[in-house]
């Protein structure tokens, strides 16, 4: 089963994503939600290098594979570079109201102008990451090198449209508008989880269809699945053509 790695925006509290993680786990997905600040204290190099190093360590340590990377806000600036560093792990990126990075431009350059103004007005002590992280130009891979990517954006405000939809269209990234007002990861976690798992439809093994994918034990399937009972009866009749096996 596919794993989902959630990279929340550093301005969002970890507890706010707990309900979304629970809803995703209820669908049978494995969920990992590492904090962006892991490994950044005392690290050498630019902030993004430190952030990426910490994330790569956490994800490798967890043994994640066949994963979809779901990023929000500033975390979109890291997602393509993280996928490039771990190509055997990530096969899709979902930008959930997240920055779609552009070569040579910082988060302050690509985020909505009102948000950039608020960030510049923040006290140094109020920022969840070193302020240099928001000023640092993106130097990750360009769009053709990204894994399959999708953008979930909002059309409530003109700034959000420019931030999400127009940028996605310019990059050629498939986009979809959602109601992202309020706090959907908390207030509408179930609905959001269903949208996210929709990007990961279950794989049908070769030669199997319908309830043939079901891993329920034979006895239970015989008790609860009429289609399964019929197939079993037909298979029995084929093995013993002279018997009086009947199907219902």
């Amino acid at each position: 089963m596919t794993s989902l790695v959630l990279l929340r925006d550093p301005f969002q509290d970890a507890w706010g994503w707990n309900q979304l993680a629970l809803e995703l786990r209820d669908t049978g997905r494995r969920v990992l939600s590492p904090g962006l600040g892991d490994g950044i204290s005392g690290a050498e190099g630019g902030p993004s290098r430190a952030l990426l190093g910490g994330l790569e360590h956490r994800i490798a340590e967890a043994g994640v594979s066949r994963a979809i990377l779901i990023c929000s806000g500033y975390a979109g600036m890291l997602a393509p570079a993280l996928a490039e560093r771990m190509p055997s792990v990530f096969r899709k990126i979902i930008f959930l109201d997240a920055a779609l990075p552009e070569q040579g431009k910082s988060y302050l350059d690509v985020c909505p102008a009102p948000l950039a103004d608020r960030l510049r007005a923040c006290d140094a002590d109020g920022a969840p990451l070193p302020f240099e992280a928001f000023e640092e130009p993106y130097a990750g891979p360009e769009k053709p090198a990204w894994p399959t990517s999708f953008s979930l954006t909002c059309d409530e405000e003109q700034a959000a449209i420019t931030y999400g939809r127009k940028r996605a269209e310019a990059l050629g990234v498939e986009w979809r508008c959602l109601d992202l007002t309020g706090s959907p990861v908390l207030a509408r976690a179930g609905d959001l989880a269903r949208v996210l798992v929709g990007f990961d439809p279950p794989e049908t093994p070769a030669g199997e269809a319908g309830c043939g994918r079901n891993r329920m034990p034979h006895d239970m399937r015989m008790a609860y699945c009429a289609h399964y009972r019929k197939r079993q009866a037909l298979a029995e009749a084929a093995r013993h053509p002279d018997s009086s096996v009947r199907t219902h």
Side-chain angles (χ1 to χ4, degrees):
M1 181 61 70
T2 301
S3 297
L4 301 175
V5 176
L6 308 180
L7 294 187
R8 64 185 182 274
D9 188 273
F11 293 94
Q12 297 167 331
D13 291 329
W15 66 266
W17 284 67
N18 288 347
Q19 186 60 41
L20 177 61
L22 287 172
E23 296 283 354
L24 291 169
R25 291 186 180 107
D26 283 347
T27 69
R29 272 66 176 181
R30 181 186 181 194
V31 179
L32 179 68
S33 185
L36 287 192
D38 293 350
I40 193 169
S41 298
E44 296 181 1
S48 64
R49 180 178 176 182
L51 291 166
L52 288 167
L55 290 169
E56 185 176 8
H57 175 75
R58 282 286 310 280
I59 292 164
E61 191 176 54
V64 173
S65 63
R66 297 186 67 253
I68 294 177
L69 184 58
I70 300 170
C71 54
S72 176
Y74 168 80
M77 300 293 290
L78 303 174
L82 183 62
E84 182 183 51
R85 292 170 72 135
M86 308 185 80
S88 63
V89 173
F90 295 111
R91 56 192 184 88
K92 290 180 184 177
I93 300 176
I94 299 177
F95 292 86
L96 176 58
D97 199 24
L100 288 159
E102 185 174 349
Q103 279 291 335
K105 292 191 175 182
S106 71
Y107 181 64
L108 293 175
D109 295 326
V110 301
C111 75
L115 174 57
D117 292 340
R118 289 197 296 272
L119 282 174
R120 292 188 179 99
C122 277
D123 294 331
D125 294 338
L129 297 175
F131 191 75
E132 291 81 356
F134 310 118
E135 296 179 304
E136 184 181 26
Y138 174 74
E142 297 194 31
K143 167 60 178 64
W146 298 1
T148 302
S149 301
F150 305 90
S151 177
L152 301 181
T153 184
C154 179
D155 61 1
E156 292 297 317
E157 300 178 13
Q158 185 60 40
I161 293 173
T162 303
Y163 178 56
R165 188 177 74 197
K166 289 186 177 180
R167 177 76 181 121
E169 288 175 344
L171 282 173
V173 170
E174 184 178 338
W175 60 271
R176 178 176 172 186
C177 277
L178 295 181
D179 178 7
L180 296 173
T181 56
S183 179
V185 296
L186 183 62
R188 299 186 297 280
D191 293 338
L192 183 55
R194 284 187 286 274
V195 171
L196 294 174
V197 299
F199 289 94
D200 177 41
E203 298 178 1
T204 303
E208 293 190 10
C211 61
R213 298 193 301 269
N214 199 312
R215 300 306 179 210
M216 187 182 293
H218 169 75
D219 290 347
M220 293 183 68
R221 294 175 73 186
M222 287 293 288
Y224 294 108
C225 182
H227 296 292
Y228 184 77
R229 289 195 298 270
K230 185 172 183 177
R231 285 201 304 275
Q232 293 297 305
L234 289 171
E236 184 67 19
R239 287 193 294 269
H240 306 285
D242 297 329
S243 70
S244 56
V245 174
R246 298 177 61 186
T247 62
H248 300 280

